[in-house]
């Protein structure tokens, strides 16, 4: 099995890796937007009443750290270029 | 004045009676009296309060605070929710869910702090109260519901933004679907597994349902009588004017006004009436005239200032009868 897995990863890397990374990047952006709307409260952007948005917390929990880091990251002009 | 009886005759589909207004005017007394009367007609009635000072417990002379639905008399049930406890349980269940789902020993500190600070917000308290209202009405066990509303804070804006929130939920749902599609494609390429997309969509639907239902309970004039309580005093007249403006901006329709704590004017015309009382009644006439002028079309009943505290079923019945079908006209008080 192990060798097959390795082989699969190699073929994956050669073929669809770029594609799936691009797709995941779009998904990450959508996810960020979603987090902002539902838990924006955490960063001071209240949209949903917190009583209800807390219900979503368990499902988005794993993304929270990354999302906060992404949202609170310092940005500068060079970000606009990339 | 048509009284509650008139309201029900005009609109037999009424199910919910909401008493609003600032503190100390007798919302709790009138809610209790309304429920006493409605239950005496053989209809199963729930009177619901969220007052942390447990005033319904005082009025009915029985501790019902945080005890769920308590039967007080035939067809009469009281519920005084402990909102703090409700929030605490709700928040704990969410924390526990996260810990169980991800098999953690404890929550990360920032998440714990966020949840705790969200729980401490005043808007949270109001949301919890409104959510409890939605619970009991949705359950539909009663013929009539009487709500003793807490003085409004920011939470009531929820009804104004119900549409906005509903649209947001549509948008969020759409976003979730997109994220799901992208995630699915990526996952099939990567052969990894997607998690919790269905649960998130379900939760969003649930949230939308609750908010729309709450708005319906408060705003549907077919089934809800939205009543304000006032007293013959300058300050409440000014407050009521402001409140009416706010209701208008929220799109809330006032069904009626009850003028409470009114001294029976005939007391002052007795020869042995003390000048203290005469003066009070004179002043009261002036303000009732002002109320008639400004809010005349809304006034459905005038309830008397009693010579004792409005406690216990027998005393409440006096208030209830006046509230149900007033014996006098509003002009008789001027």
């Amino acid at each position: 099995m192990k060798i097959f897995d390795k082989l699969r990863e190699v073929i994956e890397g050669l073929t669809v890796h770029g594609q799936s990374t691009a797709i995941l990047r779009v998904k990450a952006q959508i996810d960020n937007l979603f987090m902002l709307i539902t838990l924006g409260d955490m960063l001071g952007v209240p949209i949903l009443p917190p009583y209800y948005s807390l219900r979503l917390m368990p499902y988005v929990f794993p993304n929270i750290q990354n999302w906060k880091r992404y949202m609170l990251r310092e940005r500068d002009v060079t970000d606009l270029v990339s | 004045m048509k009284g509650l009886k008139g309201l029900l005759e005009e609109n037999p589909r009424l199910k919910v009676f909401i008493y609003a207004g600032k503190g100390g005017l007798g919302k709790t007394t009138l809610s209790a009296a309304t429920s006493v009367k409605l239950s005496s007609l053989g209809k199963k009635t729930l009177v619901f309060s969220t007052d942390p000072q447990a005033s319904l417990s005082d009025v009915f002379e029985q501790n019902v605070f945080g005890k769920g639905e308590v039967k007080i008399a035939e067809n009469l049930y009281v519920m005084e929710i402990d909102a703090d406890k409700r929030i605490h349980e709700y928040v704990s269940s969410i924390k526990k869910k996260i810990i169980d789902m991800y098999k953690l020993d404890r929550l990360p500190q920032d998440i714990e702090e966020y949840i705790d600070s969200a729980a401490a917000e005043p808007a949270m308290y109001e949301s919890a109260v409104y959510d409890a209202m939605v619970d009991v009405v949705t359950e539909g066990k009663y013929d009539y519901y009487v709500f003793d509303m807490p003085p409004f804070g920011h939470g009531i804006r929820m009804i104004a933004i119900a549409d906005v929130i509903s649209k947001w939920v549509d948008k969020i749902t759409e976003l979730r679907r997109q994220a799901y599609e992208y995630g699915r494609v990526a996952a099939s390429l990567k052969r990894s597994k997607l998690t919790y997309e269905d649960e998130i969509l379900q939760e969003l639907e649930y949230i939308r349902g609750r908010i729309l239902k709450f708005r319906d309970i408060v705003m549907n004039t077919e089934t809800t009588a939205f009543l304000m309580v006032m007293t013959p005093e300058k300050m409440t007249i000014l407050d009521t004017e402001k409140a009416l403006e706010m209701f208008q901006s929220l799109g809330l329709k006032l069904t009626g006004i009850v003028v409470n704590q009114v001294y029976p004017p005939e007391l002052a015309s007795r020869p042995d009436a003390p000048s203290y009382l005469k003066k009070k009644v004179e002043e009261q006439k002036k303000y009732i005239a002002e109320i008639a002028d400004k809010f005349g079309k809304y006034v459905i009943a005038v309830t008397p200032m009693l010579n004792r505290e409005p406690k216990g079923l027998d005393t409440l019945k006096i208030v209830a009868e006046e509230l149900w079908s007033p014996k006098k006209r509003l002009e008789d008080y001027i």
Side-chain angles (χ1 to χ4, degrees), chain A residues 28-49 53 56 60 63-64 66-68 70-72 75, chain B residues 114 168 172 175-176:
Chain A
Q29 277 169 2
I30 295 174
D31 280 342
N32 276 334
L33 194 53
F34 174 78
M35 298 284 280
L36 183 67
I37 295 170
T38 52
L39 292 175
D41 208 44
M42 281 180 113
L43 305 176
V45 190
I47 295 176
L48 278 184
S53 63
L56 296 167
V60 296
N63 303 332
I64 289 175
N66 283 336
W67 170 66
K68 272 171 85 175
Y70 172 77
M71 294 302 287
L72 300 174
R75 293 169 206 228
Chain B
Y114 167 71
W168 267 115
I172 298 169
L175 269 180
R176 262 351 273 182

